[in-house]
Amino acid sequence: MRSLAEALVADGHDVTYLTRNQWDEAKPPAIPGVRVVAVSRRDPLYGPDGNRRIGPPLRFGLGVLRHLRAHGTDYDVVHTCAFPYFPLLAAGALRTKPLFVDWFEVWSKDYWRGYLGGPGGFIGWAVQRACARVPQQAFTFSELHATRLLQEGLRTAPHRLGGLYSGPTGVENVALERAPLVVFAGRHIPEKRVAAIPAAIAAARGRVPGLRALILGDGPERARTLRAIEEQGVGDCVTAPGFVDADVVQAAIADAACLLLPSQREGYGLVVIEAAAAGTPSVVAAGRDNAAVELVVPGVNGIVAASDGPGDLADAIVAAVEGGPALRAATAGWFAANARELSVSRSLEQVVAAYERATAVSGP
């Protein structure tokens, strides 16, 4: 959204960005050419259990409703993320046109049930389904979620955007010879399956001399991950330092033999692209809710594990490490060939073109 706003301003458009109050100062952040408006108060997004709280998105949705009711006719285009749903419902209730919506994920009914339980899961799925049926131009980043969105009742085919990568598109100074290091970088939440990594390393280390793993990030599953390191007896080769600076993450990925992303659920998998930009192949886990597998061509820029189980992850890790310089060279080549379509700049071009088509039809 920040990149989109800046691109629109550069083209001479006026941009208003609606958000929650999430800054300490009395005034909103200054973004040249962008009017930042807080429509709801600052609240913690997550509860003690690590799950999202319902209050903040409800208040944000109500704030969006009030703002669009008062100012909706001032805008030629309204663009929102689908999640957390209530702003989309607000725009739909006011019949805001043209309305553009980013859908990073569409959860299945079974996933909703597992996430919130029976009654709560049904309500969450029903809200998502209602959002899909609001008249809109939808953008998706994977075939998995484009298909699900149509199944949920989207009225027109979604527009598939290529990517969100915003780093350098050139592949330079890629080291092909690397130590057998496996890196994970992400939030420690159940669906990321971070706690499965120590067991996978324990299963793979006998086949890969000197194998090490670096688990970066933090979250509600961190304590469980640390216990798993101890229980698997891999404290000598698996480290989990918590949150680190972005440049530390980038350097670790660039040094790794492979990136490990054992998630059960991914809406896109941007870190796979970031790893490929460094010539680092990715290990991802096959699963019905994991769109990151769409970014991996097995044997070219990574390996798809048969499941997120430690044994299958271990097999994929071994294959990625043993792929050696040839696999890393192929990964760098894959990135070079696809960088343009995977870039956020290309997605912005497609979004702006969709705006132009819609406003040409509907008028100012």
Side-chain angles (χ1 to χ4, degrees), residues 106-128:
V106 182
W107 290 4
S108 67
K109 187 186 292 187
D110 288 343
Y111 194 92
W112 274 111
R113 187 179 296 115
Y115 188 75
L116 292 178
F122 178 81
I123 292 171
W125 170 78
V127 170
Q128 175 186 265

Side-chain angles (χ1 to χ4, degrees), residues 121-199:
F122 178 81
I123 292 171
W125 170 78
V127 170
Q128 175 186 265
R129 188 174 179 85
C131 286
R133 297 186 174 201
V134 170
Q136 63 190 271
Q137 170 61 70
F139 297 114
T140 63
F141 294 85
S142 69
E143 290 300 326
L144 170 65
H145 297 298
T147 299
R148 285 185 174 179
L149 195 52
L150 289 169
Q151 292 171 343
E152 291 299 312
L154 184 71
R155 303 182 186 189
T156 57
H159 189 105
R160 170 79 183 276
L161 299 179
L164 293 167
Y165 177 74
S166 59
T169 55
V171 182
E172 299 177 359
N173 302 320
V174 172
L176 299 181
E177 296 287 347
R178 304 185 191 179
L181 171 66
V182 176
V183 171
F184 168 88
R187 191 160 184 263
H188 293 206
I189 51 179
E191 53 265 41
K192 294 286 188 182
R193 295 284 288 145
V194 189
I197 295 175

Side-chain angles (χ1 to χ4, degrees), residues 254-279:
D255 289 339
C258 71
L259 174 82
L260 177 57
L261 187 65
S263 301
Q264 293 176 325
R265 193 197 94 222
E266 287 288 341
Y268 178 58
L270 178 60
V271 70
V272 172
I273 308 303
E274 294 171 336

Side-chain angles (χ1 to χ4, degrees), residues 1 5 10 20 27 38 68-69 88 93 124-125 147 163 166 172 212 215 220 255 272 312 323 331 350 361:
M1 286 298 189
R20 301 164 54 250
K27 295 182 178 180
L68 290 181
R69 181 181 291 156
L88 170 51
W125 170 78
T147 299
S166 59
E172 299 177 359
R212 296 184 299 114
I215 302 174
D255 289 339
V272 172
D312 288 332
T331 299
Q350 294 172 291
V361 171

Side-chain angles (χ1 to χ4, degrees), residues 4-17 31-36 74-78 355:
L4 177 59
E6 291 174 340
L8 291 169
V9 168
D11 283 343
H13 299 286
D14 296 322
V15 178
T16 298
Y17 183 70
I31 303 174
V34 180
R35 185 169 67 109
V36 180
D74 297 342
Y75 306 125
D76 297 317
V77 164
V78 173
Y355 287 176

Side-chain angles (χ1 to χ4, degrees), residues 39-60:
V39 296
S40 64
R41 72 191 193 205
R42 184 174 184 171
D43 289 295
L45 291 177
Y46 297 93
D49 59 357
N51 287 335
R52 296 178 185 269
R53 299 169 64 239
I54 189 64
L58 278 171
R59 281 186 283 274
F60 181 48

Side-chain angles (χ1 to χ4, degrees), residues 246-314:
D247 57 346
V248 176
V249 175
Q250 293 171 356
I253 291 175
D255 289 339
C258 71
L259 174 82
L260 177 57
L261 187 65
S263 301
Q264 293 176 325
R265 193 197 94 222
E266 287 288 341
Y268 178 58
L270 178 60
V271 70
V272 172
I273 308 303
E274 294 171 336
T280 303
S282 294
V283 170
V284 299
R288 59 180 300 186
D289 297 302
N290 187 7
V293 298
E294 296 181 20
L295 298 174
V296 174
V297 181
V300 176
N301 68 325
I303 306 293
V304 178
S307 76
D308 57 12
D312 288 332
L313 290 176

